[in-house]
Amino acid sequence: MSMMHASGVKDAITATSVPPTASLMRWVIAATLPGIATMSYFFGLGIISNVLLAAAFGVALEAAVLRLRQRPIRVKLNDSSALLTGVLLGASLPPASPWWLIGVGMIAAIVVAKQLYGGLGHNPFNPAMVGYALLLVSFPTYMTLWAPPQELLPNDLWAQIAGTLPTAQLDSLSGATPLDAFKHKGEAVLASEFWAASPLPDGTLSAWRWVALAWLAGGAVLLAKRIISWHIPVAMLGSVLLLATLFYLSDPSHFASPLFHLLTGATLFGAFFIATDPVSAATSQRGKLLYGAGIGALVMIIRTFGGYPDAVAFAVLLMNLCVPLLDLYSVPRPTGQQKASPGKPGEQP
């Protein structure tokens, strides 16, 4: 992660003052606290251990690679970008993920997705989502250990973090998220029948909605402080809302409601904290709108027709691939530059 989209930055290339990167990063980290606290309240202190471990791995790996590259370690670490990547990846993982799983994810995020491309400001892909996508594809069992709402300090917390819990006990801890349960309800099961006899434990859907609202509160802080602009979140959420409404109106017996898609999974977290990474996102205002809309559309397409129930990470990474094209056709000319005139034959341009 690098500087977030400052709403004061216009399309025209002008000399504007942008807050220091470290200050922006720390504001983003502070804005994640409502979401992390709410997740911990419902899903246990394992969420906090994820964040702390991922942040520690991020700082340590960044320092190690900078040393190998013979770059100034203290200066680079002070921008807090590695810390923020760890916080975002840690908050994305199931509670009490084992330490080695978090370490593998952070190696992919910091070493592969960030430093191998040149470090801060040069990464074409969102580092946290590269780490998350790698873990989701490589370790699906651990990545689905979303237990139902539980005690703040479950009995098995330390064994889970250490990775010493037997496989059979790990299976007993896993539970479907609302998105996962609805996606795999079966073609023959109508939506009304699913909700009438929901397989979700009591309080699960409510917990996810409170978590989503907490991420929304953090996002509102970023908007109010002008750390991010509204273009990407509004475009992404609008795209999700539009497609979810169309699907739902076409067949409400099989498709979930738009509110379900907005308030479950990582929709709001992704809109405010993931998609707004300026290094891997589009730069102009028109490009941001297209970028955000593309992420929202991909989220709904993958959730509805793909193999994964959430899809925010894959949607962000796929749109990262489109950023060069979006920037090519959406970034305006610098202020004062005139469009070239064809002129008369023989006349100097």
Side-chain angles (χ1 to χ4, degrees), residues 80-102:
S80 300
S81 60
L83 193 65
L84 177 57
T85 300
V87 170
L88 295 179
L89 180 59
S92 305
L93 299 176
S97 295
W99 65 270
W100 58 265
L101 185 82
I102 299 172

Side-chain angles (χ1 to χ4, degrees), residues 221-265:
V221 171
L222 295 180
L223 288 173
K225 296 294 296 182
R226 299 172 69 84
I227 303 296
I228 62 173
S229 69
W230 58 269
H231 302 81
I232 291 177
V234 168
M236 177 182 164
L237 296 177
S239 181
V240 168
L241 187 63
L242 175 63
L243 284 180
T245 302
L246 291 176
F247 289 150
Y248 182 69
L249 292 178
S250 68
D251 187 1
S253 62
H254 283 97
F255 293 109
S257 70
L259 191 63
F260 178 79
H261 282 288
L262 285 177
L263 296 183
T264 55

Side-chain angles (χ1 to χ4, degrees), residues 43-59:
F43 298 105
L45 289 180
I47 298 294
I48 294 180
S49 73
N50 286 350
V51 171
L52 294 178
L53 279 171
F57 271 119
V59 173

Side-chain angles (χ1 to χ4, degrees), residues 6-346:
S7 59
V9 179
K10 306 298 184 184
D11 274 0
I13 301 174
T14 55
T16 56
S17 61
V18 178
T21 302
S23 175
L24 296 177
M25 295 292 176
R26 287 162 192 160
W27 267 110
V28 178
I29 292 172
T32 64
L33 295 181
I36 293 172
T38 308
M39 291 180 74
S40 301
Y41 175 79
F42 286 109
F43 298 105
L45 289 180
I47 298 294
I48 294 180
S49 73
N50 286 350
V51 171
L52 294 178
L53 279 171
F57 271 119
V59 173
L61 287 167
E62 181 108 317
V65 177
L66 288 172
R67 183 177 179 83
L68 290 174
R69 296 178 62 201
Q70 299 182 341
R71 300 299 171 90
I73 297 176
R74 183 183 295 274
V75 173
K76 297 291 185 182
L77 289 182
N78 279 343
D79 64 31
S80 300
S81 60
L83 193 65
L84 177 57
T85 300
V87 170
L88 295 179
L89 180 59
S92 305
L93 299 176
S97 295
W99 65 270
W100 58 265
L101 185 82
I102 299 172
V104 171
M106 288 306 297
I107 289 173
I110 296 295
V111 179
V112 178
K114 183 180 177 183
Q115 289 295 335
L116 288 186
Y117 282 95
L120 180 64
H122 301 283
N123 48 286
F125 300 101
N126 185 301
M129 290 301 97
V130 169
Y132 183 86
L134 174 74
L135 295 180
L136 189 61
V137 172
S138 305
F139 306 99
T141 301
Y142 286 95
M143 294 296 285
T144 56
L145 288 177
W146 280 102
Q150 57 183 295
E151 298 176 359
L152 197 61
L153 188 63
N155 295 330
D156 300 319
L157 175 64
W158 304 118
Q160 292 177 55
I161 296 172
T164 58
L165 217 59
T167 304
Q169 199 166 349
L170 276 175
D171 292 338
S172 69
L173 292 172
S174 63
T177 64
L179 281 173
D180 195 20
F182 190 86
K183 182 176 182 61
H184 296 100
K185 65 180 177 56
E187 289 292 327
V189 179
L190 301 178
S192 57
E193 295 172 339
F194 172 82
W195 293 117
S198 175
L200 295 170
D202 292 341
T204 300
L205 187 59
S206 174
W208 281 100
R209 286 175 172 171
W210 278 111
V211 169
L213 292 176
W215 290 123
L216 177 62
V221 171
L222 295 180
L223 288 173
K225 296 294 296 182
R226 299 172 69 84
I227 303 296
I228 62 173
S229 69
W230 58 269
H231 302 81
I232 291 177
V234 168
M236 177 182 164
L237 296 177
S239 181
V240 168
L241 187 63
L242 175 63
L243 284 180
T245 302
L246 291 176
F247 289 150
Y248 182 69
L249 292 178
S250 68
D251 187 1
S253 62
H254 283 97
F255 293 109
S257 70
L259 191 63
F260 178 79
H261 282 288
L262 285 177
L263 296 183
T264 55
T267 307
L268 288 167
F269 174 63
F272 290 103
F273 292 91
I274 300 299
T276 48
D277 173 20
V279 176
S280 56
T283 54
S284 71
Q285 294 179 355
R286 186 171 55 177
K288 293 175 190 174
L289 291 173
L290 294 172
Y291 177 78
I295 292 175
L298 286 171
V299 165
M300 284 307 304
I301 291 171
I302 297 174
R303 280 184 182 181
T304 306
F305 305 108
Y308 290 93
D310 198 333
V312 168
F314 295 117
V316 169
L317 294 177
L318 286 172
M319 285 307 297
N320 287 162
L321 287 170
C322 302
V323 164
L325 189 64
L326 292 174
D327 282 345
L328 180 64
Y329 289 105
S330 65
V331 175
R333 298 175 184 81
T335 303
Q337 180 175 329
Q338 300 295 321
K339 183 178 180 180
S341 170
K344 295 179 181 179

